[in-house]
Amino acid sequence: MAAWGKAMRIDLNAKIRTKDGHEAGKIHRVLIDPTTDRITGFVVSTRRLLGRDVIVGEDMFVTASADGETITLNLDKEELDSQPSFEEHDFVTPPAGWSAPNLGYAIPPESFLWPEESAVADVGQRSRPSIKKGDTVKDRDGDAVGTVEDIRFDEKTGNVLSLTVKAHPGLERLFGGGKVVEISRDDILRITDDEVRLGVDREEIIPKEHETGTR
C-alpha cells in the first residue's frame, strides 16, 4: 500500500477513466479503517456512466497523470459496473480532532469516511470488537465465506490480530481444499454484531496455515 502511495499521485476529484476509454467519473471520498489507518476503498462518482457511486480498491489504479488529475483503472466499463455500490448510510465522518494519516495523497481530512460501526466517541479509545465463534464471515461484496472458528487478540491492546474461519459447506475450495483458513486483520474491513466483513473478494483469499492455542 505504501509503495502505491509513493509511486502514484491520487488527488481528490481526480478524473477516473476505464481501461477501455470511458470517462467514469471522479474520486470524491476515501474510505478508511480507523483502527489501522488503512484505506479500504475510494468512492468514485459514476453517475453519468453508471448512474451510481461505486467503491474501487487502490489496486485497481494503473496509471495517473503527473498532475494527479486523471487516473486510469485496470477495469473496463463492465467490470467497473460490477464493483460494490457506495451506500452513504454505511459510513460516517470521523469525529472532530481526528488526524488523517499521512498517506502521500493530496486528500483533505474531511474527505475521509469511517465504517459506521467503527465510529467511537473518543478516538483515543479502542474497545475490543464484539466478535465470537460462529459469527458469519462475508467478503467485500456480501457473499458468505464461512464462520468464525477462533480469534487471536493482541494481549496488550485487545485488537484483533487474525481470525480462523471455517468454510461453509461446498466452499472449501476457497481455502485450497481445506476447511479452515487464517484471515489477517489487514483483510478485515469491519466487525459488527454477528458478522465480519472482509475487504477482499472471497476468490482472493490466500490460504495459509493457522496457528493454534494463541487465542
mmCIF file with all atom_site columns, all heavy atoms in Angstrom, residues 45-71:
data_model
loop_
_atom_site.group_PDB
_atom_site.id
_atom_site.type_symbol
_atom_site.label_atom_id
_atom_site.label_alt_id
_atom_site.label_comp_id
_atom_site.label_asym_id
_atom_site.label_entity_id
_atom_site.label_seq_id
_atom_site.pdbx_PDB_ins_code
_atom_site.Cartn_x
_atom_site.Cartn_y
_atom_site.Cartn_z
_atom_site.occupancy
_atom_site.B_iso_or_equiv
_atom_site.pdbx_formal_charge
_atom_site.auth_seq_id
_atom_site.auth_comp_id
_atom_site.auth_asym_id
_atom_site.auth_atom_id
_atom_site.pdbx_PDB_model_num
ATOM 1   N N   . SER A 1 45 ? -17.653 8.712  -8.116  1.00 0.00 ? 45 SER A N   1
ATOM 2   C CA  . SER A 1 45 ? -18.969 9.131  -8.581  1.00 0.00 ? 45 SER A CA  1
ATOM 3   C C   . SER A 1 45 ? -19.062 8.841  -10.076 1.00 0.00 ? 45 SER A C   1
ATOM 4   O O   . SER A 1 45 ? -18.364 9.451  -10.884 1.00 0.00 ? 45 SER A O   1
ATOM 5   C CB  . SER A 1 45 ? -19.163 10.628 -8.315  1.00 0.00 ? 45 SER A CB  1
ATOM 6   O OG  . SER A 1 45 ? -20.396 11.075 -8.831  1.00 0.00 ? 45 SER A OG  1
ATOM 7   N N   . THR A 1 46 ? -19.903 7.893  -10.447 1.00 0.00 ? 46 THR A N   1
ATOM 8   C CA  . THR A 1 46 ? -20.017 7.466  -11.853 1.00 0.00 ? 46 THR A CA  1
ATOM 9   C C   . THR A 1 46 ? -21.409 7.759  -12.406 1.00 0.00 ? 46 THR A C   1
ATOM 10  O O   . THR A 1 46 ? -21.886 7.053  -13.294 1.00 0.00 ? 46 THR A O   1
ATOM 11  C CB  . THR A 1 46 ? -19.743 5.955  -11.989 1.00 0.00 ? 46 THR A CB  1
ATOM 12  O OG1 . THR A 1 46 ? -20.794 5.233  -11.332 1.00 0.00 ? 46 THR A OG1 1
ATOM 13  C CG2 . THR A 1 46 ? -18.409 5.574  -11.390 1.00 0.00 ? 46 THR A CG2 1
ATOM 14  N N   . ARG A 1 47 ? -22.045 8.762  -11.875 1.00 0.00 ? 47 ARG A N   1
ATOM 15  C CA  . ARG A 1 47 ? -23.456 8.977  -12.190 1.00 0.00 ? 47 ARG A CA  1
ATOM 16  C C   . ARG A 1 47 ? -23.718 9.116  -13.690 1.00 0.00 ? 47 ARG A C   1
ATOM 17  O O   . ARG A 1 47 ? -24.735 8.651  -14.193 1.00 0.00 ? 47 ARG A O   1
ATOM 18  C CB  . ARG A 1 47 ? -23.969 10.199 -11.434 1.00 0.00 ? 47 ARG A CB  1
ATOM 19  C CG  . ARG A 1 47 ? -23.914 10.004 -9.924  1.00 0.00 ? 47 ARG A CG  1
ATOM 20  C CD  . ARG A 1 47 ? -24.648 11.096 -9.166  1.00 0.00 ? 47 ARG A CD  1
ATOM 21  N NE  . ARG A 1 47 ? -24.536 10.887 -7.720  1.00 0.00 ? 47 ARG A NE  1
ATOM 22  C CZ  . ARG A 1 47 ? -25.270 10.019 -7.044  1.00 0.00 ? 47 ARG A CZ  1
ATOM 23  N NH1 . ARG A 1 47 ? -26.156 9.292  -7.657  1.00 0.00 ? 47 ARG A NH1 1
ATOM 24  N NH2 . ARG A 1 47 ? -25.105 9.886  -5.739  1.00 0.00 ? 47 ARG A NH2 1
ATOM 25  N N   . ARG A 1 48 ? -22.845 9.737  -14.420 1.00 0.00 ? 48 ARG A N   1
ATOM 26  C CA  . ARG A 1 48 ? -23.066 9.901  -15.865 1.00 0.00 ? 48 ARG A CA  1
ATOM 27  C C   . ARG A 1 48 ? -22.862 8.591  -16.618 1.00 0.00 ? 48 ARG A C   1
ATOM 28  O O   . ARG A 1 48 ? -23.487 8.354  -17.648 1.00 0.00 ? 48 ARG A O   1
ATOM 29  C CB  . ARG A 1 48 ? -22.120 10.970 -16.414 1.00 0.00 ? 48 ARG A CB  1
ATOM 30  C CG  . ARG A 1 48 ? -22.401 12.371 -15.891 1.00 0.00 ? 48 ARG A CG  1
ATOM 31  C CD  . ARG A 1 48 ? -21.478 13.383 -16.519 1.00 0.00 ? 48 ARG A CD  1
ATOM 32  N NE  . ARG A 1 48 ? -21.657 13.451 -17.971 1.00 0.00 ? 48 ARG A NE  1
ATOM 33  C CZ  . ARG A 1 48 ? -20.932 14.231 -18.764 1.00 0.00 ? 48 ARG A CZ  1
ATOM 34  N NH1 . ARG A 1 48 ? -19.973 14.986 -18.259 1.00 0.00 ? 48 ARG A NH1 1
ATOM 35  N NH2 . ARG A 1 48 ? -21.153 14.241 -20.062 1.00 0.00 ? 48 ARG A NH2 1
ATOM 36  N N   . LEU A 1 49 ? -21.991 7.736  -16.092 1.00 0.00 ? 49 LEU A N   1
ATOM 37  C CA  . LEU A 1 49 ? -21.692 6.485  -16.791 1.00 0.00 ? 49 LEU A CA  1
ATOM 38  C C   . LEU A 1 49 ? -22.555 5.329  -16.309 1.00 0.00 ? 49 LEU A C   1
ATOM 39  O O   . LEU A 1 49 ? -23.138 4.597  -17.113 1.00 0.00 ? 49 LEU A O   1
ATOM 40  C CB  . LEU A 1 49 ? -20.211 6.135  -16.609 1.00 0.00 ? 49 LEU A CB  1
ATOM 41  C CG  . LEU A 1 49 ? -19.711 4.894  -17.356 1.00 0.00 ? 49 LEU A CG  1
ATOM 42  C CD1 . LEU A 1 49 ? -19.785 5.136  -18.863 1.00 0.00 ? 49 LEU A CD1 1
ATOM 43  C CD2 . LEU A 1 49 ? -18.288 4.546  -16.939 1.00 0.00 ? 49 LEU A CD2 1
ATOM 44  N N   . LEU A 1 50 ? -22.650 5.161  -14.976 1.00 0.00 ? 50 LEU A N   1
ATOM 45  C CA  . LEU A 1 50 ? -23.369 4.013  -14.406 1.00 0.00 ? 50 LEU A CA  1
ATOM 46  C C   . LEU A 1 50 ? -24.610 4.412  -13.623 1.00 0.00 ? 50 LEU A C   1
ATOM 47  O O   . LEU A 1 50 ? -25.428 3.575  -13.281 1.00 0.00 ? 50 LEU A O   1
ATOM 48  C CB  . LEU A 1 50 ? -22.432 3.215  -13.485 1.00 0.00 ? 50 LEU A CB  1
ATOM 49  C CG  . LEU A 1 50 ? -21.122 2.714  -14.095 1.00 0.00 ? 50 LEU A CG  1
ATOM 50  C CD1 . LEU A 1 50 ? -20.312 1.974  -13.039 1.00 0.00 ? 50 LEU A CD1 1
ATOM 51  C CD2 . LEU A 1 50 ? -21.389 1.817  -15.293 1.00 0.00 ? 50 LEU A CD2 1
ATOM 52  N N   . GLY A 1 51 ? -24.714 5.688  -13.262 1.00 0.00 ? 51 GLY A N   1
ATOM 53  C CA  . GLY A 1 51 ? -25.876 6.141  -12.514 1.00 0.00 ? 51 GLY A CA  1
ATOM 54  C C   . GLY A 1 51 ? -25.790 5.907  -11.017 1.00 0.00 ? 51 GLY A C   1
ATOM 55  O O   . GLY A 1 51 ? -26.809 5.953  -10.323 1.00 0.00 ? 51 GLY A O   1
ATOM 56  N N   . ARG A 1 52 ? -24.599 5.636  -10.490 1.00 0.00 ? 52 ARG A N   1
ATOM 57  C CA  . ARG A 1 52 ? -24.433 5.401  -9.057  1.00 0.00 ? 52 ARG A CA  1
ATOM 58  C C   . ARG A 1 52 ? -22.971 5.621  -8.670  1.00 0.00 ? 52 ARG A C   1
ATOM 59  O O   . ARG A 1 52 ? -22.107 5.753  -9.538  1.00 0.00 ? 52 ARG A O   1
ATOM 60  C CB  . ARG A 1 52 ? -24.839 3.972  -8.692  1.00 0.00 ? 52 ARG A CB  1
ATOM 61  C CG  . ARG A 1 52 ? -23.997 2.895  -9.363  1.00 0.00 ? 52 ARG A CG  1
ATOM 62  C CD  . ARG A 1 52 ? -24.583 1.503  -9.174  1.00 0.00 ? 52 ARG A CD  1
ATOM 63  N NE  . ARG A 1 52 ? -23.808 0.492  -9.890  1.00 0.00 ? 52 ARG A NE  1
ATOM 64  C CZ  . ARG A 1 52 ? -22.828 -0.229 -9.375  1.00 0.00 ? 52 ARG A CZ  1
ATOM 65  N NH1 . ARG A 1 52 ? -22.492 -0.059 -8.086  1.00 0.00 ? 52 ARG A NH1 1
ATOM 66  N NH2 . ARG A 1 52 ? -22.178 -1.121 -10.082 1.00 0.00 ? 52 ARG A NH2 1
ATOM 67  N N   . ASP A 1 53 ? -22.734 5.677  -7.369  1.00 0.00 ? 53 ASP A N   1
ATOM 68  C CA  . ASP A 1 53 ? -21.375 5.758  -6.853  1.00 0.00 ? 53 ASP A CA  1
ATOM 69  C C   . ASP A 1 53 ? -20.882 4.350  -6.544  1.00 0.00 ? 53 ASP A C   1
ATOM 70  O O   . ASP A 1 53 ? -21.630 3.532  -5.993  1.00 0.00 ? 53 ASP A O   1
ATOM 71  C CB  . ASP A 1 53 ? -21.320 6.603  -5.574  1.00 0.00 ? 53 ASP A CB  1
ATOM 72  C CG  . ASP A 1 53 ? -21.600 8.074  -5.843  1.00 0.00 ? 53 ASP A CG  1
ATOM 73  O OD1 . ASP A 1 53 ? -21.669 8.457  -7.026  1.00 0.00 ? 53 ASP A OD1 1
ATOM 74  O OD2 . ASP A 1 53 ? -21.753 8.833  -4.875  1.00 0.00 ? 53 ASP A OD2 1
ATOM 75  N N   . VAL A 1 54 ? -19.636 4.063  -6.890  1.00 0.00 ? 54 VAL A N   1
ATOM 76  C CA  . VAL A 1 54 ? -19.078 2.737  -6.649  1.00 0.00 ? 54 VAL A CA  1
ATOM 77  C C   . VAL A 1 54 ? -17.806 2.850  -5.818  1.00 0.00 ? 54 VAL A C   1
ATOM 78  O O   . VAL A 1 54 ? -17.169 3.903  -5.750  1.00 0.00 ? 54 VAL A O   1
ATOM 79  C CB  . VAL A 1 54 ? -18.769 1.988  -7.967  1.00 0.00 ? 54 VAL A CB  1
ATOM 80  C CG1 . VAL A 1 54 ? -20.030 1.779  -8.775  1.00 0.00 ? 54 VAL A CG1 1
ATOM 81  C CG2 . VAL A 1 54 ? -17.713 2.733  -8.778  1.00 0.00 ? 54 VAL A CG2 1
ATOM 82  N N   . ILE A 1 55 ? -17.446 1.736  -5.181  1.00 0.00 ? 55 ILE A N   1
ATOM 83  C CA  . ILE A 1 55 ? -16.223 1.659  -4.388  1.00 0.00 ? 55 ILE A CA  1
ATOM 84  C C   . ILE A 1 55 ? -15.191 0.854  -5.167  1.00 0.00 ? 55 ILE A C   1
ATOM 85  O O   . ILE A 1 55 ? -15.467 -0.266 -5.596  1.00 0.00 ? 55 ILE A O   1
ATOM 86  C CB  . ILE A 1 55 ? -16.485 0.982  -3.030  1.00 0.00 ? 55 ILE A CB  1
ATOM 87  C CG1 . ILE A 1 55 ? -17.521 1.782  -2.224  1.00 0.00 ? 55 ILE A CG1 1
ATOM 88  C CG2 . ILE A 1 55 ? -15.184 0.842  -2.233  1.00 0.00 ? 55 ILE A CG2 1
ATOM 89  C CD1 . ILE A 1 55 ? -17.961 1.087  -0.945  1.00 0.00 ? 55 ILE A CD1 1
ATOM 90  N N   . VAL A 1 56 ? -14.034 1.448  -5.368  1.00 0.00 ? 56 VAL A N   1
ATOM 91  C CA  . VAL A 1 56 ? -12.951 0.734  -6.048  1.00 0.00 ? 56 VAL A CA  1
ATOM 92  C C   . VAL A 1 56 ? -11.742 0.682  -5.127  1.00 0.00 ? 56 VAL A C   1
ATOM 93  O O   . VAL A 1 56 ? -11.505 1.585  -4.322  1.00 0.00 ? 56 VAL A O   1
ATOM 94  C CB  . VAL A 1 56 ? -12.570 1.388  -7.396  1.00 0.00 ? 56 VAL A CB  1
ATOM 95  C CG1 . VAL A 1 56 ? -13.754 1.397  -8.337  1.00 0.00 ? 56 VAL A CG1 1
ATOM 96  C CG2 . VAL A 1 56 ? -12.050 2.802  -7.190  1.00 0.00 ? 56 VAL A CG2 1
ATOM 97  N N   . GLY A 1 57 ? -10.969 -0.374 -5.257  1.00 0.00 ? 57 GLY A N   1
ATOM 98  C CA  . GLY A 1 57 ? -9.775  -0.527 -4.445  1.00 0.00 ? 57 GLY A CA  1
ATOM 99  C C   . GLY A 1 57 ? -8.587  0.174  -5.069  1.00 0.00 ? 57 GLY A C   1
ATOM 100 O O   . GLY A 1 57 ? -8.542  0.412  -6.283  1.00 0.00 ? 57 GLY A O   1
ATOM 101 N N   . GLU A 1 58 ? -7.612  0.484  -4.251  1.00 0.00 ? 58 GLU A N   1
ATOM 102 C CA  . GLU A 1 58 ? -6.406  1.165  -4.725  1.00 0.00 ? 58 GLU A CA  1
ATOM 103 C C   . GLU A 1 58 ? -5.650  0.318  -5.737  1.00 0.00 ? 58 GLU A C   1
ATOM 104 O O   . GLU A 1 58 ? -4.993  0.844  -6.647  1.00 0.00 ? 58 GLU A O   1
ATOM 105 C CB  . GLU A 1 58 ? -5.509  1.468  -3.517  1.00 0.00 ? 58 GLU A CB  1
ATOM 106 C CG  . GLU A 1 58 ? -4.276  2.282  -3.832  1.00 0.00 ? 58 GLU A CG  1
ATOM 107 C CD  . GLU A 1 58 ? -3.443  2.512  -2.597  1.00 0.00 ? 58 GLU A CD  1
ATOM 108 O OE1 . GLU A 1 58 ? -3.542  1.723  -1.651  1.00 0.00 ? 58 GLU A OE1 1
ATOM 109 O OE2 . GLU A 1 58 ? -2.669  3.479  -2.602  1.00 0.00 ? 58 GLU A OE2 1
ATOM 110 N N   . ASP A 1 59 ? -5.763  -1.000 -5.599  1.00 0.00 ? 59 ASP A N   1
ATOM 111 C CA  . ASP A 1 59 ? -5.051  -1.880 -6.522  1.00 0.00 ? 59 ASP A CA  1
ATOM 112 C C   . ASP A 1 59 ? -5.665  -1.878 -7.918  1.00 0.00 ? 59 ASP A C   1
ATOM 113 O O   . ASP A 1 59 ? -5.120  -2.487 -8.847  1.00 0.00 ? 59 ASP A O   1
ATOM 114 C CB  . ASP A 1 59 ? -5.015  -3.307 -5.973  1.00 0.00 ? 59 ASP A CB  1
ATOM 115 C CG  . ASP A 1 59 ? -6.399  -3.892 -5.713  1.00 0.00 ? 59 ASP A CG  1
ATOM 116 O OD1 . ASP A 1 59 ? -7.371  -3.113 -5.697  1.00 0.00 ? 59 ASP A OD1 1
ATOM 117 O OD2 . ASP A 1 59 ? -6.492  -5.110 -5.506  1.00 0.00 ? 59 ASP A OD2 1
ATOM 118 N N   . MET A 1 60 ? -6.785  -1.176 -8.084  1.00 0.00 ? 60 MET A N   1
ATOM 119 C CA  . MET A 1 60 ? -7.408  -1.075 -9.401  1.00 0.00 ? 60 MET A CA  1
ATOM 120 C C   . MET A 1 60 ? -6.912  0.135  -10.174 1.00 0.00 ? 60 MET A C   1
ATOM 121 O O   . MET A 1 60 ? -7.279  0.334  -11.333 1.00 0.00 ? 60 MET A O   1
ATOM 122 C CB  . MET A 1 60 ? -8.929  -1.029 -9.256  1.00 0.00 ? 60 MET A CB  1
ATOM 123 C CG  . MET A 1 60 ? -9.506  -2.283 -8.627  1.00 0.00 ? 60 MET A CG  1
ATOM 124 S SD  . MET A 1 60 ? -11.267 -2.141 -8.277  1.00 0.00 ? 60 MET A SD  1
ATOM 125 C CE  . MET A 1 60 ? -11.544 -3.683 -7.388  1.00 0.00 ? 60 MET A CE  1
ATOM 126 N N   . PHE A 1 61 ? -6.075  0.984  -9.528  1.00 0.00 ? 61 PHE A N   1
ATOM 127 C CA  . PHE A 1 61 ? -5.485  2.127  -10.207 1.00 0.00 ? 61 PHE A CA  1
ATOM 128 C C   . PHE A 1 61 ? -4.210  1.677  -10.919 1.00 0.00 ? 61 PHE A C   1
ATOM 129 O O   . PHE A 1 61 ? -3.319  1.090  -10.300 1.00 0.00 ? 61 PHE A O   1
ATOM 130 C CB  . PHE A 1 61 ? -5.139  3.240  -9.212  1.00 0.00 ? 61 PHE A CB  1
ATOM 131 C CG  . PHE A 1 61 ? -6.330  3.816  -8.502  1.00 0.00 ? 61 PHE A CG  1
ATOM 132 C CD1 . PHE A 1 61 ? -6.192  4.395  -7.251  1.00 0.00 ? 61 PHE A CD1 1
ATOM 133 C CD2 . PHE A 1 61 ? -7.587  3.804  -9.087  1.00 0.00 ? 61 PHE A CD2 1
ATOM 134 C CE1 . PHE A 1 61 ? -7.279  4.934  -6.591  1.00 0.00 ? 61 PHE A CE1 1
ATOM 135 C CE2 . PHE A 1 61 ? -8.681  4.341  -8.428  1.00 0.00 ? 61 PHE A CE2 1
ATOM 136 C CZ  . PHE A 1 61 ? -8.527  4.913  -7.184  1.00 0.00 ? 61 PHE A CZ  1
ATOM 137 N N   . VAL A 1 62 ? -4.125  1.959  -12.219 1.00 0.00 ? 62 VAL A N   1
ATOM 138 C CA  . VAL A 1 62 ? -2.966  1.529  -13.002 1.00 0.00 ? 62 VAL A CA  1
ATOM 139 C C   . VAL A 1 62 ? -1.982  2.667  -13.226 1.00 0.00 ? 62 VAL A C   1
ATOM 140 O O   . VAL A 1 62 ? -0.789  2.550  -12.932 1.00 0.00 ? 62 VAL A O   1
ATOM 141 C CB  . VAL A 1 62 ? -3.410  0.954  -14.365 1.00 0.00 ? 62 VAL A CB  1
ATOM 142 C CG1 . VAL A 1 62 ? -2.200  0.553  -15.195 1.00 0.00 ? 62 VAL A CG1 1
ATOM 143 C CG2 . VAL A 1 62 ? -4.314  -0.246 -14.165 1.00 0.00 ? 62 VAL A CG2 1
ATOM 144 N N   . THR A 1 63 ? -2.470  3.770  -13.753 1.00 0.00 ? 63 THR A N   1
ATOM 145 C CA  . THR A 1 63 ? -1.604  4.909  -14.024 1.00 0.00 ? 63 THR A CA  1
ATOM 146 C C   . THR A 1 63 ? -2.305  6.198  -13.631 1.00 0.00 ? 63 THR A C   1
ATOM 147 O O   . THR A 1 63 ? -3.536  6.262  -13.559 1.00 0.00 ? 63 THR A O   1
ATOM 148 C CB  . THR A 1 63 ? -1.230  4.990  -15.521 1.00 0.00 ? 63 THR A CB  1
ATOM 149 O OG1 . THR A 1 63 ? -2.426  5.130  -16.302 1.00 0.00 ? 63 THR A OG1 1
ATOM 150 C CG2 . THR A 1 63 ? -0.468  3.755  -15.957 1.00 0.00 ? 63 THR A CG2 1
ATOM 151 N N   . ALA A 1 64 ? -1.503  7.230  -13.386 1.00 0.00 ? 64 ALA A N   1
ATOM 152 C CA  . ALA A 1 64 ? -2.028  8.557  -13.075 1.00 0.00 ? 64 ALA A CA  1
ATOM 153 C C   . ALA A 1 64 ? -1.197  9.582  -13.819 1.00 0.00 ? 64 ALA A C   1
ATOM 154 O O   . ALA A 1 64 ? 0.011   9.404  -14.018 1.00 0.00 ? 64 ALA A O   1
ATOM 155 C CB  . ALA A 1 64 ? -1.985  8.830  -11.571 1.00 0.00 ? 64 ALA A CB  1
ATOM 156 N N   . SER A 1 65 ? -1.849  10.658 -14.242 1.00 0.00 ? 65 SER A N   1
ATOM 157 C CA  . SER A 1 65 ? -1.115  11.728 -14.894 1.00 0.00 ? 65 SER A CA  1
ATOM 158 C C   . SER A 1 65 ? -0.201  12.389 -13.876 1.00 0.00 ? 65 SER A C   1
ATOM 159 O O   . SER A 1 65 ? -0.389  12.278 -12.658 1.00 0.00 ? 65 SER A O   1
ATOM 160 C CB  . SER A 1 65 ? -2.092  12.757 -15.480 1.00 0.00 ? 65 SER A CB  1
ATOM 161 O OG  . SER A 1 65 ? -2.929  13.284 -14.473 1.00 0.00 ? 65 SER A OG  1
ATOM 162 N N   . ALA A 1 66 ? 0.811   13.080 -14.345 1.00 0.00 ? 66 ALA A N   1
ATOM 163 C CA  . ALA A 1 66 ? 1.805   13.692 -13.458 1.00 0.00 ? 66 ALA A CA  1
ATOM 164 C C   . ALA A 1 66 ? 1.175   14.679 -12.485 1.00 0.00 ? 66 ALA A C   1
ATOM 165 O O   . ALA A 1 66 ? 1.637   14.829 -11.345 1.00 0.00 ? 66 ALA A O   1
ATOM 166 C CB  . ALA A 1 66 ? 2.896   14.380 -14.284 1.00 0.00 ? 66 ALA A CB  1
ATOM 167 N N   . ASP A 1 67 ? 0.100   15.350 -12.908 1.00 0.00 ? 67 ASP A N   1
ATOM 168 C CA  . ASP A 1 67 ? -0.548  16.324 -12.031 1.00 0.00 ? 67 ASP A CA  1
ATOM 169 C C   . ASP A 1 67 ? -1.601  15.688 -11.128 1.00 0.00 ? 67 ASP A C   1
ATOM 170 O O   . ASP A 1 67 ? -2.222  16.371 -10.312 1.00 0.00 ? 67 ASP A O   1
ATOM 171 C CB  . ASP A 1 67 ? -1.181  17.454 -12.848 1.00 0.00 ? 67 ASP A CB  1
ATOM 172 C CG  . ASP A 1 67 ? -2.212  16.951 -13.874 1.00 0.00 ? 67 ASP A CG  1
ATOM 173 O OD1 . ASP A 1 67 ? -2.590  15.760 -13.799 1.00 0.00 ? 67 ASP A OD1 1
ATOM 174 O OD2 . ASP A 1 67 ? -2.617  17.749 -14.732 1.00 0.00 ? 67 ASP A OD2 1
ATOM 175 N N   . GLY A 1 68 ? -1.795  14.361 -11.263 1.00 0.00 ? 68 GLY A N   1
ATOM 176 C CA  . GLY A 1 68 ? -2.744  13.667 -10.400 1.00 0.00 ? 68 GLY A CA  1
ATOM 177 C C   . GLY A 1 68 ? -4.195  13.886 -10.748 1.00 0.00 ? 68 GLY A C   1
ATOM 178 O O   . GLY A 1 68 ? -5.088  13.453 -10.022 1.00 0.00 ? 68 GLY A O   1
ATOM 179 N N   . GLU A 1 69 ? -4.469  14.529 -11.882 1.00 0.00 ? 69 GLU A N   1
ATOM 180 C CA  . GLU A 1 69 ? -5.848  14.885 -12.212 1.00 0.00 ? 69 GLU A CA  1
ATOM 181 C C   . GLU A 1 69 ? -6.601  13.805 -12.973 1.00 0.00 ? 69 GLU A C   1
ATOM 182 O O   . GLU A 1 69 ? -7.831  13.845 -13.065 1.00 0.00 ? 69 GLU A O   1
ATOM 183 C CB  . GLU A 1 69 ? -5.857  16.194 -13.022 1.00 0.00 ? 69 GLU A CB  1
ATOM 184 C CG  . GLU A 1 69 ? -5.412  17.403 -12.209 1.00 0.00 ? 69 GLU A CG  1
ATOM 185 C CD  . GLU A 1 69 ? -5.549  18.690 -12.988 1.00 0.00 ? 69 GLU A CD  1
ATOM 186 O OE1 . GLU A 1 69 ? -5.959  18.624 -14.172 1.00 0.00 ? 69 GLU A OE1 1
ATOM 187 O OE2 . GLU A 1 69 ? -5.258  19.760 -12.424 1.00 0.00 ? 69 GLU A OE2 1
ATOM 188 N N   . THR A 1 70 ? -5.882  12.831 -13.541 1.00 0.00 ? 70 THR A N   1
ATOM 189 C CA  . THR A 1 70 ? -6.543  11.746 -14.273 1.00 0.00 ? 70 THR A CA  1
ATOM 190 C C   . THR A 1 70 ? -5.918  10.419 -13.888 1.00 0.00 ? 70 THR A C   1
ATOM 191 O O   . THR A 1 70 ? -4.695  10.269 -13.888 1.00 0.00 ? 70 THR A O   1
ATOM 192 C CB  . THR A 1 70 ? -6.411  11.944 -15.802 1.00 0.00 ? 70 THR A CB  1
ATOM 193 O OG1 . THR A 1 70 ? -6.966  13.210 -16.167 1.00 0.00 ? 70 THR A OG1 1
ATOM 194 C CG2 . THR A 1 70 ? -7.163  10.842 -16.538 1.00 0.00 ? 70 THR A CG2 1
ATOM 195 N N   . ILE A 1 71 ? -6.771  9.439  -13.543 1.00 0.00 ? 71 ILE A N   1
ATOM 196 C CA  . ILE A 1 71 ? -6.312  8.107  -13.159 1.00 0.00 ? 71 ILE A CA  1
ATOM 197 C C   . ILE A 1 71 ? -6.996  7.075  -14.043 1.00 0.00 ? 71 ILE A C   1
ATOM 198 O O   . ILE A 1 71 ? -8.202  7.152  -14.289 1.00 0.00 ? 71 ILE A O   1
ATOM 199 C CB  . ILE A 1 71 ? -6.636  7.825  -11.674 1.00 0.00 ? 71 ILE A CB  1
ATOM 200 C CG1 . ILE A 1 71 ? -5.860  8.793  -10.774 1.00 0.00 ? 71 ILE A CG1 1
ATOM 201 C CG2 . ILE A 1 71 ? -6.313  6.376  -11.303 1.00 0.00 ? 71 ILE A CG2 1
ATOM 202 C CD1 . ILE A 1 71 ? -6.253  8.729  -9.327  1.00 0.00 ? 71 ILE A CD1 1
#
